[in-house]
Amino acid sequence: MTGPAVRLGRPGTALVLAATLSALAVSGCAGPEERAGASAAAAATATGTGPETLNPTDLAWLQLQLAMDEQALHILELAPGSGADPELKQWAAKVAKGHRADLAALRKLLTAARVPDTNPHEGHDMPGMVNATELRALEAAEGQEFDRLLRSALRDHLTHAERMSGEQRKAGSDPEVKQRAASIGQSASDHLRRMPE
């Protein structure tokens, strides 16, 4: 997954975050798969099949968190071969393990909601992910330069994941999705606190 995206620190992130999670399924960012997913969520509520309380915010969060975590996992897996700091490598390995578990859980929730496991955000400019230029720089970097770029990218990713999870818990409705958001938000906070400097 290599879709370019904006960095968390850009102006208007809080507004983008709120808008993304409250109306992504009907916004200009929504692709056919995402609109189909929103229809599936509405059908599940109407017919009693699938998660009965899944709303568009739940769906938007699931799909965006999946896209973010897939990209983060890619750059985390570069650490063993490209990084210099042994402590940072150990930390990255733990974060990568958590992201693998989260991705499996997020996909399970999508499957239960009868939503295709596609990436409607590929190629979009999204907060919480590195952009295409930064991704290429990470893939080419080695040693201390890689470590610096990795810290910066993951600080943005984890900070955004923490904030986005908080927004999902405010506006989402499905208990399982909210529970997963709470878990991911707490993990992001813990990883940020333990990131080697």
Side-chain angles (χ1 to χ4, degrees), residues 1-192:
M1 139 97 203
T2 59
V6 297
R7 296 301 288 255
L8 178 64
R10 292 195 183 172
T13 297
L15 293 176
V16 171
L17 175 61
T20 296
L21 291 182
S22 64
L24 189 58
V26 293
S27 74
C29 182
E33 299 89 351
E34 192 164 27
R35 287 192 291 271
S39 299
T45 301
T47 64
T49 60
E52 295 179 2
T53 55
L54 192 72
N55 72 10
T57 298
D58 297 321
L59 176 65
W61 178 81
L62 284 167
Q63 291 181 318
L64 184 52
Q65 190 65 49
L66 264 165
M68 288 171 54
D69 282 1
E70 283 177 346
Q71 189 187 56
L73 183 59
H74 172 67
I75 63 176
L76 284 161
E77 289 176 341
L78 297 173
S82 299
D85 183 349
E87 192 178 354
L88 185 63
K89 289 182 182 185
Q90 289 179 349
W91 174 86
K94 289 177 185 175
V95 178
K97 182 178 180 181
H99 274 47
R100 285 186 202 98
D102 287 338
L103 284 166
L106 292 167
R107 287 193 170 98
K108 184 176 178 182
L109 289 167
L110 278 183
T111 298
R114 297 175 176 82
V115 177
D117 182 10
T118 58
N119 180 8
H121 302 294
E122 189 164 3
H124 293 184
D125 221 19
M126 304 298 296
M129 299 163 70
V130 297
N131 63 38
T133 301
E134 293 162 335
L135 186 58
R136 285 193 298 271
L138 270 160
E139 290 172 337
E142 293 183 2
Q144 292 182 353
E145 178 64 6
F146 174 85
D147 291 349
R148 183 186 69 77
L149 292 170
L150 183 68
R151 284 187 183 98
S152 177
L154 290 176
R155 190 173 290 112
D156 285 352
H157 164 70
L158 293 168
T159 299
H160 190 72
E162 183 180 18
R163 291 178 184 171
M164 197 171 74
S165 294
E167 291 298 322
Q168 190 284 330
R169 294 197 310 276
K170 291 177 191 173
S173 64
D174 183 80
E176 286 188 63
V177 177
K178 291 177 91 162
Q179 183 177 16
R180 178 53 49 184
S183 173
I184 286 175
Q186 185 60 56
S187 292
S189 177
D190 292 344
H191 291 321
L192 277 167

